[in-house]
Amino acid sequence: MMRFCNKIQLQKCLFVIFLLVSFNTYAEPIWHLYKNKNGVSVYYQSHSDNTFEVKAQMSVKGVSTNEFLELLSDTDAAPQWLENISQVKAIKHISPSENLVYSYFNSPWPVRDSITYSCYSQLTANKSQLLISARPNKQPKNNGVIRITTLNARWLLSEDKGRLDIEYQVYALPDGAIPTWLSNKVGLKSTYTTFMNLHHMLTDKKYTPKLPVIKAGQC
């Protein structure tokens, strides 16, 4: 009887350990480093369908969260720092914290566009986030242009002692006739270039804030 009880207890312990290992594997995804250069770090996380998420990080001195939001409000300047994008325009200001935005991608071929919903919120006294997701049906499709239907992204902003830490994470499917491996390669390269451009735009103040500048709300 004692041996049977011990066996049952052992099975329970092994089951609990299995659950803990499974939970930790799910909660802590593995990020692989693509490039760490000039203060910009870009990572990727692989998925079973050969697609992956991309994450980029950098710190900018002497720049505030509000200055970053002012840059986002200048949609005319967006093509100067967003790689492979030739046009960005606000379709609708839903609220001080919410916007619908149209973007036109000129690379990789064939050309694509997207309509995204964004919402900005304050997480703590010095940390905020901008969540972005695809809303492909909010505007009629353009002939000859592929509409991106899957896109989820997040800007995480942390301000401390005159330094702004910026983290960007995105998962998107390009749709259309483009190999997955090529899409992944272009995505990593363009993310790194975008962050380098973003650093220059913020430090050199190469933008003109336009009203309304996004404000924190409930997301």
Side-chain angles (χ1 to χ4, degrees), residues 104-116:
Y104 183 88
F105 300 79
N106 55 8
S107 180
W109 187 90
V111 293
R112 293 164 174 79
D113 66 5
S114 71
I115 297 176
T116 54

Side-chain angles (χ1 to χ4, degrees), residues 39-43 55-59 166-168 195:
V40 174
S41 300
V42 178
Y43 305 85
K55 179 171 67 174
Q57 299 170 326
M58 74 173 177
S59 296
I166 303 174
E167 178 180 298
Y168 177 70
F195 260 62

Side-chain angles (χ1 to χ4, degrees), residues 126-142:
N126 65 339
K127 183 177 293 186
S128 58
Q129 69 176 5
L130 180 69
L131 299 177
I132 303 171
S133 57
R135 294 291 190 272
N137 299 320
K138 288 295 183 179
Q139 184 169 289
K141 295 181 180 179
N142 299 312

Side-chain angles (χ1 to χ4, degrees), residues 13-219:
C13 289
L14 291 175
F15 180 69
V16 170
I17 292 173
F18 171 77
L19 287 179
L20 290 174
V21 171
S22 299
F23 176 78
N24 286 336
T25 301
Y26 175 78
E28 299 178 4
I30 299 175
W31 289 97
H32 305 279
L33 178 64
Y34 164 71
K35 182 176 289 189
N36 181 9
K37 188 176 181 180
N38 299 318
V40 174
S41 300
V42 178
Y43 305 85
Y44 65 94
Q45 178 192 151
S46 301
H47 290 270
S48 59
D49 57 358
N50 293 326
T51 62
F52 54 68
E53 294 181 56
V54 177
K55 179 171 67 174
Q57 299 170 326
M58 74 173 177
S59 296
V60 187
K61 294 181 179 180
V63 174
S64 67
T65 299
N66 193 63
E67 286 175 314
F68 175 82
L69 298 175
E70 289 176 345
L71 172 57
L72 291 187
S73 75
D74 185 5
T75 54
D76 292 338
Q80 298 180 39
W81 63 279
L82 288 170
E83 183 74 355
N84 298 326
I85 290 183
S86 60
Q87 181 186 11
V88 176
K89 64 179 180 179
I91 300 173
K92 184 178 181 180
H93 299 292
I94 302 172
S95 74
S97 61
E98 302 168 283
N99 290 286
L100 279 178
V101 176
Y102 174 83
S103 301
Y104 183 88
F105 300 79
N106 55 8
S107 180
W109 187 90
V111 293
R112 293 164 174 79
D113 66 5
S114 71
I115 297 176
T116 54
Y117 164 81
S118 64
C119 189
Y120 177 66
S121 61
Q122 198 75 34
L123 301 177
T124 65
N126 65 339
K127 183 177 293 186
S128 58
Q129 69 176 5
L130 180 69
L131 299 177
I132 303 171
S133 57
R135 294 291 190 272
N137 299 320
K138 288 295 183 179
Q139 184 169 289
K141 295 181 180 179
N142 299 312
N143 292 333
V145 179
I146 296 174
R147 176 66 47 84
I148 294 176
T149 59
T150 302
L151 189 154
N152 291 286
R154 181 185 72 161
W155 289 96
L156 183 63
L157 310 171
S158 303
E159 187 176 346
D160 183 46
K161 297 179 180 178
R163 185 191 73 231
L164 182 63
D165 296 328
I166 303 174
E167 178 180 298
Y168 177 70
Q169 186 171 331
V170 62
Y171 176 77
L173 299 180
D175 298 320
I178 176 173
T180 301
W181 67 267
L182 178 59
S183 172
N184 294 340
K185 184 177 180 179
V186 171
L188 287 168
K189 183 179 179 180
S190 63
T191 300
Y192 175 78
T193 302
T194 290
F195 260 62
M196 290 300 301
N197 295 339
L198 176 60
H199 188 281
H200 293 314
M201 292 290 288
L202 289 172
T203 54
D204 297 341
K205 302 294 186 294
K206 295 181 178 180
Y207 57 91
T208 304
K210 296 180 180 179
L211 296 177
V213 176
I214 192 169
K215 303 295 182 183
Q218 299 296 322
C219 299

